[in-house]
Amino acid sequence: MPIRQLSETMINQIAAGEVIERPASVVKELVENALDAGASKVEIVTAGGGLNLIRVTDDGSGIAEPELALAIARHCTSKLSDDIHDIRSLGFRGEALPSIGSVARLSIRSRTASGDSAAEIGIDGGRVSPVKPAAANRGTTVEVRDLFFATPARLKFMKGERAESSATSDVVKRIAIAFPAVRFTLAGSDRSTLELPATSGTPEGRLARVAQVMGKDFPDNAIAIDAMRDGVHLAGHVSIPSYTRANALQQYAYVNGRPVRDKLIAGAIRGAFADVLPRDRHAVTVLFLSLDPTTVDVNVHPAKADVRFRDPGLVRGLIVGAIREALAGAGIRAATTGAAGMMAAFRPGAAPYSHPGPTGGHRSYEAAYHASGSGGFDPLRSAHRPLDMGYGAARPRSSGFAENEQAAFDTGPLASADARAGLAEPAEALLGMVLGAARAQVHENYIVAQTRDSLVIVDQHAAHERLVYEALKNALHSRAVPSQMLLLPEIVDLPEEDAERLAMHSDTLAKFGLGLERFGPGAVAVRETPSMLGETNVQQLVRDLADEIADNDTVETLKERLDRIAATMACHGSVRSGRLLKAEEMNALLRQMEATPGSGTCNHGRPTYIELKLADIERLFGRR
């Protein structure tokens, strides 16, 4: 077949296959155009999931009548300067309107602030109608009907009306979070109306918009993020570890105000929450990255959902470090949803309260306790003793309980602490602490504590497990990890670029106990491995590290493996279920929880305590 020039309509339809994936893509492009035009109010109406009708109306600057024909021509835009690397608007490619018009019936009615009247232009499956006068207020109304009628094969790939409507709602919500000063309305015969009133551009106004989108519970269970590194600014909010979701749909990320779904950012969030969440639970986040537009490439894909950073390691390190620092500085907090579930469980006929645990974790706490024996983990006879990880005379005070507090744990046998038997009246100072004063131990596993305005129930094993884990991690990462020399070096064949990356990170890997060096152009020789790993598959470990360095320029895989071993040791070295505790022991545990970052959840992501406010208790008894 001879080479020939494609028609303009076919070129637009090919472009539409990349830009316009579904009705939600149309809404995204049209709403971004409205925001670039300076709109303060955006109204969206849909029908049939967006396949029958999409109408977007704004009060922006509008399009002058002589420019309407250019607006629907490919690669015509008012948003791009001569520098393709300096993009400061949401749209810039000049492909959205002609792409939509090639596969649907499109009409644009617009009026500028200085215009005496409005003008309208239409496109029907690629056929352009002449510009004609129209009546309209200042701003632009774009109406799209019969989406994909010109490419019926695409209709076969559309989901049901409800799924398409839900995708459109998600797009509007994602954009609305980044523009709190704009009022958004989403309505139609295929949905319930969504109204997001304008707030303000201040941090408080932005958080108010986030609450409109994500629910009023999020601000009460969120931690503020504000960090700066080498010209990259990170702001926003992340949820506390005990406030999670079953999927990552409520993780919102923005780069210079642009909503993105970037795997580097998603991976950084997972890494930051790695040891405080269950594997099947996800944090709720709203993060805003601000950086020089010339250091980020948003022209990666026509949909503009992906970005590429000039220094991905800097961005990832900033996100992980800022989130972990915020979690450590936030102190110990319980999710407000825990109290709500607890109150629901107390009501007659309510289902028992439970927290979703990890699918790959313990079958149950009780099973884990019995599996490890009644004696628990003994560091003096452990195979991991050479690391001296926080135990023994050389242990720093910050890594465990104070001397008199540890002595309380080491004494025995212990008397029952049920129903406040033998407990002295708590000091007034203890009632003012976050977790208050211990008043009882029930079912030989749960500590009941009292503060001035709440009741606190603590899972003693889960709480102590976190404390031991943090002490182990501190000891592990405060010095070089002990390594064991291999009798014969392990030669790992790799692509030359992977071998080069590993060699560049050899100093960092050595700190984690992995000693390797280049062995020719396409291989590395591994001479030492971390002692904690024991017998391990060196070939697979090195290849996993090479893949991670290629993706994220980090060596987190090795660190995570060591942390998992520390978590297992912590689980077996913690206070067992069924052990009776004295008042001194319980209060020592509460004080250490208050001083330990991340102690609101155990190593498996389960909550270590639940707080029920006195007002909630009184409400249960009808006293309020």
Side-chain angles (χ1 to χ4, degrees), residues 426-437 439 449-456 611-615 617-618 624:
E428 184 66 21
L430 293 183
L431 294 179
M433 305 296 284
V434 175
L435 297 180
R439 304 306 297 261
Q450 171 191 349
T451 71
R452 289 194 176 97
D453 63 349
S454 65
L455 172 74
V456 178
E611 183 178 16
L612 191 61
K613 293 296 183 181
L614 180 60
I617 300 175
E618 292 177 340
R624 285 195 171 211

Side-chain angles (χ1 to χ4, degrees), residues 470-492:
E470 292 297 328
L472 287 170
K473 282 202 307 179
N474 289 339
L476 178 64
H477 300 307
S478 64
R479 70 189 95 172
V481 175
S483 60
Q484 59 184 8
M485 183 78 71
L486 298 181
L487 186 61
L488 295 175
E490 185 94 23
I491 308 302
V492 184

Side-chain angles (χ1 to χ4, degrees), residues 274-297:
D275 61 354
V276 295
L277 294 185
R279 291 188 179 181
D280 58 345
R281 303 296 293 181
H282 300 267
V284 182
T285 63
V286 180
L287 297 177
F288 299 89
L289 277 167
S290 302
L291 65 166
D292 188 338
T294 61
T295 62
V296 57
D297 185 2

Side-chain angles (χ1 to χ4, degrees), residues 313-325:
L314 168 64
V315 174
R316 190 184 193 281
L318 173 62
I319 294 174
V320 173
I323 292 178
R324 287 181 176 174
E325 183 179 352

